[in-house]
Amino acid sequence: MHDMSAHQALTQLAPLAADSFDPNKVTPGVLGFIVFAVMALAVWALMKSMNRHMNRVDFEERTAAAPADQPAAPTKPAPQQ
């Protein structure tokens, strides 16, 4: 019975809620600003972290590696005549 009375109350109050505000004047308000600001700070922190990690990467190829570290070069068989 409790569910039925809640459903009846919602169906009676829904038209009242639709008439109580102008859809053209609805704004996100303070909560929308706070959510946007938190998301902006999170993106800024992620970009700063990514920049720090990218600066640690060494893009230079090492030219003086030990022979054991290098894979063996494939050899081609000599053409037979």
Side-chain angles (χ1 to χ4, degrees):
M1 282 193 206
H2 180 43
D3 291 333
M4 192 62 151
S5 62
H7 184 269
Q8 287 176 349
L10 287 177
T11 56
Q12 291 175 0
L13 292 177
L16 295 176
D19 294 336
S20 65
F21 64 92
D22 183 11
N24 296 324
K25 294 183 180 179
V26 175
T27 62
V30 177
L31 180 63
F33 175 75
I34 291 171
V35 169
F36 183 79
V38 167
M39 288 174 58
L41 286 172
V43 169
W44 176 78
L46 285 172
M47 293 293 290
K48 189 171 181 172
S49 174
M50 183 187 72
N51 191 21
R52 190 179 319 123
H53 282 85
M54 291 299 287
N55 284 337
R56 292 181 186 171
V57 175
D58 183 19
F59 290 106
E60 297 293 324
E61 184 176 343
R62 295 183 182 173
T63 56
D69 293 342
Q70 295 178 348
T75 57
K76 294 182 182 178
Q80 296 179 353
Q81 293 179 347

